[in-house]
Amino acid sequence: MHFQMSPLIRKRVQALAKLKVPLTAAPDFNDFWRKHCQKVNRHQLNAQSAAIPYPLENIEIRDTTFAGLDGTIVKAWIILPPAARDGKVPAMVWYHGGGGSRFRPYEHLRWVAAGFAVVAMDFRQQGGETGSATSLTRCGAQSFIVMNIETRDSYFLYHAWTDALLCLRLAMSTPEIDARRVAVGGSSQGGGTALAIAALDHRVAACVADVPSYCWWDKRIVTQTASGGELAAYLRRYPHKLEQVYRTMSYFDVMNFTGRIRCPVMVSCGLNDEAVPPECIFAAYNRITAEKSMNIYPFGRHNIEPWQAERQLAWLRARLHIGKPAGGRKLAGRARGRG
């Protein structure tokens, strides 16, 4: 499905599609992430789960925790659809937006209705129940985005993304889940995280990223949009740390990751998004060489449109071989091989 666009909108979209922003990755970018992915792979999850009552039949909800690299107890849900009683099911590992949480299980039921298990974690020190065993200093700022910004190995996003990689491991090690059919997804913070995780772990079968944040940090800081504005405020207070901040952020700029993605990707973008400028999203999207699709909402803002949720479901079900469409015809598509 494609929406008709006016000449002005079409011209803007064409310019976005041609956008090519120079990468900012430091020379040791790949070595840095290779080393820390190895830590994730060796780490003991120490996962603990307990089923909880829920007012829907045949759906199992497990209140779960796992251990971050630093020992932080990370809260998560594992939600299993009815089909999990009869065999392994595909899964969606869902990462929430900034300041949010794993939410209540209800928020994830669209995936369950589509036949997916769901694994959803808290980002530490945000709106959920997960704290941090590592001290995270805000340096007088309001936002989590500046926490420990002076040290890449203990920066907030380092812990958030290694937690996210461990959450993916949790999904793949859950007996009821088919590890070959695990997708990652999220919106805003979660969308940017999903793209990074898909780049770092090539076992991911598919990725859906709505209005993804954390792309092209230089523009986000200069335009002072959302978390970029928090970083700009930090640099107003500490102007002598500009080079250090930009170096740290280069290890956590999604634009530097997306060229490594191998699985199919669906991204959404609102051209009226005031939190994450479309140029930032396209700076990352245009680097993807795997199968990809971009859903543009000309008057969309920083949100997931109902249209987009429905398009995601159809797109994912096709690529992960789930069910049949209304006419009974089998859905086409295949999952990519994993490296």
Side-chain angles (χ1 to χ4, degrees), residues 147-225:
M147 290 177 169
N148 290 7
I149 196 167
E150 297 175 17
T151 311
R152 61 181 185 176
D153 299 73
S154 67
Y155 176 50
F156 170 79
L157 283 181
Y158 167 78
H159 292 293
W161 286 2
T162 54
D163 288 347
L165 283 165
L166 290 166
C167 187
L168 178 64
R169 270 190 58 201
L170 173 67
M172 290 184 167
S173 62
T174 298
E176 295 86 354
I177 289 175
D178 181 352
R180 299 167 301 173
R181 294 191 293 162
V182 176
V184 294
S187 65
S188 190
Q189 168 182 255
T193 299
L195 289 170
I197 300 309
L200 291 171
D201 194 323
H202 291 155
R203 295 173 299 169
V204 171
C207 173
V208 291
D210 286 313
V211 292
S213 189
Y214 304 157
C215 307
W216 194 8
W217 277 116
D218 187 17
K219 186 172 183 66
R220 295 290 305 279
I221 293 170
V222 169
T223 58
Q224 300 185 44
T225 52

Side-chain angles (χ1 to χ4, degrees), residues 25-304:
D28 66 342
F29 177 89
N30 289 333
D31 289 340
F32 173 83
W33 282 108
R34 186 181 301 112
K35 177 179 71 173
H36 293 293
C37 285
Q38 289 170 352
K39 285 184 181 179
V40 166
N41 292 334
R42 294 192 301 263
H43 183 68
Q44 294 294 318
L45 282 174
N46 295 326
Q48 304 288 328
S49 283
I52 65 169
Y54 203 72
L56 288 175
E57 295 179 358
N58 301 321
I59 294 175
E60 183 175 347
I61 313 287
R62 296 175 185 169
D63 192 358
T64 304
T65 62
F66 63 90
L69 289 185
D70 61 351
T72 294
I73 302 303
V74 181
K75 297 282 286 185
W77 296 120
I78 296 176
I79 308 172
L80 299 175
R85 296 184 176 188
D86 301 320
K88 291 182 179 290
V89 295
M92 168 57 70
V93 178
W94 188 257
Y95 304 116
H96 65 75
S101 71
R102 61 178 178 161
F103 298 117
R104 295 298 301 166
Y106 172 85
E107 255 86 12
H108 306 292
L109 291 185
R110 80 176 187 271
W111 301 112
V112 179
F116 291 85
V118 177
V119 181
M121 69 168 212
D122 278 345
F123 280 73
R124 58 176 68 194
Q125 294 291 83
Q126 293 195 10
E129 302 171 72
T130 300
S132 180
T134 297
S135 176
L136 295 171
T137 303
R138 291 178 186 260
C139 300
Q142 299 297 313
S143 174
F144 55 82
I145 203 64
V146 304
M147 290 177 169
N148 290 7
I149 196 167
E150 297 175 17
T151 311
R152 61 181 185 176
D153 299 73
S154 67
Y155 176 50
F156 170 79
L157 283 181
Y158 167 78
H159 292 293
W161 286 2
T162 54
D163 288 347
L165 283 165
L166 290 166
C167 187
L168 178 64
R169 270 190 58 201
L170 173 67
M172 290 184 167
S173 62
T174 298
E176 295 86 354
I177 289 175
D178 181 352
R180 299 167 301 173
R181 294 191 293 162
V182 176
V184 294
S187 65
S188 190
Q189 168 182 255
T193 299
L195 289 170
I197 300 309
L200 291 171
D201 194 323
H202 291 155
R203 295 173 299 169
V204 171
C207 173
V208 291
D210 286 313
V211 292
S213 189
Y214 304 157
C215 307
W216 194 8
W217 277 116
D218 187 17
K219 186 172 183 66
R220 295 290 305 279
I221 293 170
V222 169
T223 58
Q224 300 185 44
T225 52
S227 52
E230 297 290 346
L231 290 167
Y234 176 87
L235 289 171
R236 281 196 296 274
R237 180 173 294 187
Y238 306 109
H240 60 293
K241 296 183 179 180
L242 186 145
E243 183 176 350
Q244 188 175 30
V245 165
Y246 269 74
R247 179 171 174 79
T248 295
M249 300 314 295
S250 73
Y251 292 93
F252 304 94
D253 193 323
V254 173
M255 178 178 72
N256 293 332
F257 288 82
T258 48
R260 301 171 57 174
I261 295 175
R262 297 182 185 176
C263 68
V265 179
M266 174 182 273
V267 179
S268 72
C269 173
L271 296 186
N272 281 356
D273 192 336
E274 297 176 353
V276 179
E279 290 78 7
C280 296
I281 295 174
F282 273 87
Y285 178 79
N286 290 348
R287 292 281 179 179
I288 299 172
T289 58
E291 175 194 341
K292 63 182 179 178
S293 63
M294 170 67 81
N295 294 332
I296 297 171
Y297 297 90
F299 299 97
R301 297 184 184 275
H302 194 61
N303 60 298
I304 303 178

